[in-house]
């Protein structure tokens, strides 16, 4: 993938269905291959005129959720095998905590507090958000992604994986 991105901007922050706050759940399931030099790739951002959250690959050694927590010891993350495509899930539970899991390597990241940021007017796929930001998913390998504002179970995540992997 080059440096293309898709952005959806709403008139009001309240119209953006991806805005999360408090103990709102979110599940993101994805398959991607990161760059071997651990370069930061921006897969999904919910930050136009606000910074609610971002899903990033690289840096901190894996897939991670950037919210108000941005320090390595606080972000929801899981290690990533940069030599191959990885299927990962980030789960933000309805109790204000979440964790990430790498289905390719069978690793589970630590349970951490979610801490959503400010509501945003829009979201971007393959980019960092506001049009003036140079952040992108440049040169990563993207396969598929599933996003829901629900807390999925293990079985539901496996259904998403099976569907996208044509199993």
């Amino acid at each position: 993938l080059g440096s293309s991105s898709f952005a959806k901007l709403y008139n009001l922050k309240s119209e953006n269905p991806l805005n999360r706050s408090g103990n709102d759940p979110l599940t993101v399931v994805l398959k991607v291959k990161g760059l071997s030099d651990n370069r930061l790739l921006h897969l999904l951002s919910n930050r136009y005129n606000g910074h609610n959250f971002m899903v990033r690959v690289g840096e901190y050694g894996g897939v991670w959720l950037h919210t108000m927590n941005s320090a390595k010891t606080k972000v929801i993350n899981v290690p990533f095998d940069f030599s191959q495509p990885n299927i990962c899930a980030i789960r933000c539970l309805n109790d204000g905590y979440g964790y990430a899991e790498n289905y390719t390597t069978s690793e589970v990241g630590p349970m951490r507090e979610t801490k959503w940021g400010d509501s945003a007017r829009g979201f971007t796929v393959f980019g960092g958000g506001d049009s003036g930001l140079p952040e992108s998913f440049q040169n990563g390998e993207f396969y598929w992604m599933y996003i829901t504002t629900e807390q999925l179970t293990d079985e539901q995540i496996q259904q998403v994986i099976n569907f996208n992997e044509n199993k």
Side-chain angles (χ1 to χ4, degrees):
L1 181 67
S3 59
S4 299
S5 64
F6 166 81
K8 175 63 177 166
L9 185 60
Y10 296 91
N11 290 323
L12 302 170
K13 291 179 178 184
S14 60
E15 295 173 343
N16 182 351
L18 291 184
N19 279 330
R20 316 311 302 144
S21 65
N23 293 343
D24 287 345
L26 178 76
T27 306
V28 179
V29 187
L30 56 92
K31 183 177 182 180
V32 67
K33 184 174 186 226
L35 300 172
S36 60
D37 63 2
N38 205 24
R39 187 176 325 149
L40 186 58
L41 303 173
H42 307 274
L43 188 57
L44 172 67
S45 65
N46 193 41
R47 66 174 202 179
Y48 263 95
N49 304 111
H51 185 290
N52 196 237
F53 69 87
M54 295 180 75
V55 175
R56 292 173 157 170
V57 178
E59 198 174 62
Y60 300 152
V63 170
W64 58 289
L65 182 70
H66 180 188
T67 59
M68 291 299 288
N69 290 330
S70 60
K72 183 176 183 177
T73 58
K74 294 184 178 183
V75 298
I76 294 170
N77 66 20
V78 68
F80 194 86
D81 179 355
F82 288 92
S83 71
Q84 64 180 322
N86 288 228
I87 295 173
C88 299
I90 294 172
R91 283 194 256 202
C92 298
L93 312 176
N94 58 16
D95 65 359
Y97 288 82
Y99 65 97
E101 187 168 356
N102 187 323
Y103 287 80
T104 303
T105 65
S106 300
E107 293 182 80
V108 178
M111 184 72 71
R112 301 244 168 91
E113 189 175 9
T114 305
K115 285 197 129 177
W116 301 113
D118 298 328
S119 292
R121 279 190 50 215
F123 64 87
T124 305
V125 179
F126 306 129
D130 292 316
S131 58
L133 297 171
E135 301 169 334
S136 70
F137 191 81
Q138 193 167 13
N139 300 318
E141 291 181 29
F142 174 79
Y143 294 85
W144 52 264
M145 180 170 52
Y146 178 86
I147 306 160
T148 181
T149 55
E150 299 174 10
Q151 176 181 316
L152 295 188
T153 64
D154 291 337
E155 294 79 18
Q156 290 169 319
I157 288 177
Q158 192 59 57
Q159 288 175 343
V160 169
I161 293 168
N162 291 346
F163 176 84
N164 283 287
E165 295 292 298
N166 298 313
K167 293 181 180 176

